[in-house]
Amino acid sequence: MPFQQSLLDLGELFNFSDLSTFTHNIPIEWVESALTLSDKATIRRRRLPSDQVLWLVLGMAIFRDEPVHEVARRLNICAQGLASDSLLAKSGVTEARKRLGSQPIEWLFCQTGHQWGRERYTGDEWQGLQVFAVDGALFRTPDTPELREHFGSGNTSTKRQTPFPMMRLVALMNVRSHIVVDAQISPYRRSEMRLADAFLHQIPDNSVTLFDKGFWGANLLLNVSRQGKNRHWLIPERKNLVREELQRYGKNDRLVKMKVSPQARKKNPELPEYWEVREVSYKVKDGMKTVFTSLPVETYSAKAIAGLYQERWEIELGFRDIKSSMQHNAITLRSKKVELIYQEVWGLLLTYNVIRREASLAAIAFDRRPSEIRFKSVCQYIAVQLIVMAAANPVSGTGRRLSELRSGIGGLFLERRPRRTTPRTVKISKTRYPVDRKAAPLK
């Protein structure tokens, strides 16, 4: 792509290796703390020290179409005073990534999410509550025996495995700023609900969390409310739920009682035998839709709740930004070792948060909402231009340069359009039979 190539060519003019570039968003203390987690710390003066490799991992997320060793060369990822450029071997880059490991990247991502995901911006609340969403996504990995054994894959009805191993991601996202607050990644066979349990405590007080129906469960939902103050949830109805009406608030608004399953109570004996939830129904194009919530009827109307649940789609847009805008719809991740796969995905999430944070600050400067920024257009612009500006003058003038950067994205805001009314198309399903690519064409 000519635009991406022009961004990469900036590496010929500027030294991108100075990590002070990110001190506006990522304090240097965070970087130092993260690097202490590396399993293979060393005092040897290497051509690719850990701090530069950390920056390389971020560069991999920005420049997905470039080979890793080319990203290292372009960004001049090399210790000062040591030879680089064409002398940097491909194997040396891989070994440097192995020495760094995935823990420092994961720790840095968690720091950014926990700090930035709770930030409040003017007009980003819903009736005094911050809005979050929880959902899952899948990533494919290259098909090697090691990766297939570790990550696993889905099976067809004939027990044939899917073409690529898959890893599972479950994330908690601030739907107004689109920053990922926390996430869990694991092999394919792990349950989304169990992964979500690991970060429920990160949901701030005075908030409402939107769930996909796959997260339905008394234990998970009750924990959302019990683990904090004024924390609420909203989730769509599951089929074949048996409930008893206790109180009618309106035509499509009522309080119902449901039995907690024996399996759930066995896992958590503290769960009650029955639990009460509010049921709200509203009209959609093809009928009625029902959601359940802990939001009290005295404060939040059924109409407001129906409108709020539409925002759950925002986390899907966040996943799209990562897979499409950052990964360029690549079929698989690029790494071929288990530890490097985890490192690559944590690097994706960390880089995504850095871009989203800067986009949010730019939106606020224009008195707009962070979710109105065009991520696809801003992704390369912010990530690379911010680096260039800081590298060109890392000591002084940063505030002025950031102001110029944000003024440059003033035309990159989304114009909100109504949701599409045409039905979603169904992709061609995978065949269970081998495809004969040499077969003669149909006449």
Side-chain angles (χ1 to χ4, degrees):
M1 297 176 63
F3 176 65
Q4 185 184 28
Q5 186 61 46
S6 66
L7 293 175
L8 285 166
D9 288 339
L10 291 172
E12 304 291 345
L13 302 176
F14 298 101
N15 181 359
F16 288 76
S17 62
D18 187 356
L19 279 178
S20 65
T21 293
F22 278 104
T23 55
H24 173 72
N25 279 314
I26 302 180
I28 196 64
E29 294 81 6
W30 292 6
V31 176
E32 293 173 348
S33 297
L35 293 177
T36 62
L37 299 175
S38 181
D39 293 334
K40 297 181 180 179
T42 177
I43 60 174
R44 176 182 171 186
R45 191 182 183 214
R46 299 182 180 274
R47 290 179 55 203
L48 284 174
S50 295
D51 56 346
Q52 309 294 22
V53 180
L54 187 150
W55 171 222
L56 170 63
V57 174
L58 301 185
M60 288 170 52
I62 297 173
F63 302 113
R64 175 59 179 84
D65 289 344
E66 292 292 325
V68 178
H69 70 276
E70 180 65 14
V71 175
R73 188 190 71 81
R74 289 282 190 174
L75 302 186
N76 197 15
I77 305 297
C78 192
Q80 294 184 2
L82 295 179
S84 60
D85 208 36
S86 60
L87 299 179
L88 192 62
K90 298 180 183 179
S91 59
V93 175
T94 301
E95 290 303 316
R97 291 183 59 202
K98 289 180 180 178
R99 288 195 301 271
L100 178 65
S102 63
Q103 282 187 302
I105 313 296
E106 177 184 358
W107 187 89
L108 260 183
F109 158 73
C110 291
Q111 283 293 106
T112 64
H114 299 169
Q115 293 287 335
W116 304 341
R118 295 183 174 92
E119 291 178 336
R120 294 175 179 264
Y121 303 101
T122 303
D124 74 337
E125 296 181 349
W126 178 81
Q127 299 194 21
L129 301 177
Q130 282 190 292
V131 186
F132 298 88
V134 172
D135 204 354
L138 296 174
F139 288 90
R140 302 184 191 93
T141 75
D143 190 7
T144 68
E146 177 188 357
L147 296 181
R148 188 173 285 278
E149 180 181 1
H150 179 83
F151 290 108
S153 62
N155 294 332
T156 64
S157 57
T158 58
K159 296 185 178 180
R160 292 180 59 219
Q161 294 181 319
T162 51
F164 297 98
M166 293 187 291
M167 70 182 308
R168 190 178 297 281
L169 163 71
V170 177
L172 169 67
M173 180 181 288
N174 184 322
V175 301
R176 299 298 174 90
S177 67
H178 282 200
I179 287 177
V180 179
V181 180
D182 209 332
Q184 291 287 311
I185 54 179
S186 76
Y188 174 74
R189 293 298 180 184
R190 289 287 303 277
S191 163
E192 286 188 338
M193 292 184 65
R194 290 188 178 182
L195 293 175
D197 275 332
F199 55 65
L200 290 184
H201 64 283
Q202 295 295 344
I203 301 175
D205 295 338
N206 302 307
S207 64
V208 56
T209 303
L210 315 178
F211 290 91
D212 181 69
K213 62 182 177 182
F215 292 89
W216 176 268
N219 184 51
L220 184 144
L221 297 176
L222 289 175
N223 282 338
V224 172
S225 301
R226 292 174 176 177
Q227 291 181 7
K229 297 180 180 179
N230 198 27
R231 300 199 322 180
H232 299 283
W233 50 266
L234 186 58
I235 191 170
E237 173 191 28
R238 281 184 65 179
K239 292 183 179 180
N240 302 321
L241 283 177
V242 178
R243 62 265 202 185
E244 175 186 350
E245 180 178 323
L246 296 180
Q247 186 176 353
R248 173 71 62 169
Y249 301 130
K251 181 179 179 181
N252 297 312
D253 189 1
R254 61 178 184 167
L255 180 68
V256 298
K257 180 176 73 171
M258 292 179 290
K259 186 176 182 179
V260 178
S261 68
Q263 296 83 356
R265 296 189 66 199
K266 184 177 181 180
K267 292 180 181 178
N268 184 0
E270 296 182 359
L271 291 176
E273 184 178 357
Y274 292 90
W275 61 315
E276 299 177 0
V277 299
R278 183 182 176 189
E279 178 187 294
V280 174
S281 300
Y282 56 94
K283 291 183 179 179
V284 293
K285 183 179 179 180
D286 54 351
M288 298 290 292
K289 185 177 181 65
T290 300
V291 295
F292 294 99
T293 184
S294 63
L295 292 166
V297 66
E298 298 82 8
T299 310
Y300 306 99
S301 68
K303 182 178 180 180
I305 291 173
L308 172 64
Y309 190 73
Q310 307 308 310
E311 296 194 40
R312 198 203 66 82
W313 187 253
E314 297 296 325
I315 191 171
E316 302 283 2
L317 298 181
F319 291 150
R320 181 203 63 183
D321 290 337
I322 294 173
K323 291 186 175 183
S324 177
S325 299
M326 297 179 68
Q327 288 286 283
H328 298 206
N329 293 317
I331 296 177
T332 68
L333 299 166
R334 65 167 83 201
S335 303
K336 296 182 179 180
K337 296 293 182 180
V338 171
E339 181 71 4
L340 299 187
I341 286 286
Y342 283 105
Q343 182 191 82
E344 181 179 346
V345 175
W346 288 124
L348 272 173
L349 295 174
L350 172 60
T351 306
Y352 172 84
N353 271 359
V354 170
I355 295 172
R356 273 296 178 192
R357 175 88 183 318
E358 187 59 30
S360 296
L361 297 176
I364 297 304
F366 282 88
D367 197 26
R368 301 288 291 269
R369 292 185 300 175
S371 59
E372 294 180 314
I373 290 284
R374 293 180 182 272
F375 186 90
K376 186 174 182 178
S377 301
V378 173
C379 177
Q380 297 287 1
Y381 185 83
I382 288 183
V384 177
Q385 292 298 329
L386 179 60
I387 295 168
V388 170
M389 291 177 181
N393 192 355
V395 178
S396 62
T398 301
R400 176 180 60 81
R401 293 179 184 277
L402 288 174
S403 178
E404 294 173 356
L405 168 67
R406 292 166 194 163
S407 66
I409 66 174
L412 301 178
F413 289 100
L414 290 166
E415 295 299 329
R416 289 290 177 180
R417 295 174 293 179
R419 293 284 299 275
R420 61 185 180 187
T421 57
T422 55
R424 299 178 67 179
T425 57
V426 179
K427 295 182 179 179
I428 299 175
S429 60
K430 297 182 179 67
T431 176
R432 69 179 67 180
Y433 305 105
V435 177
D436 185 0
R437 301 187 183 278
K438 297 182 181 179
L442 296 176
K443 295 182 179 180

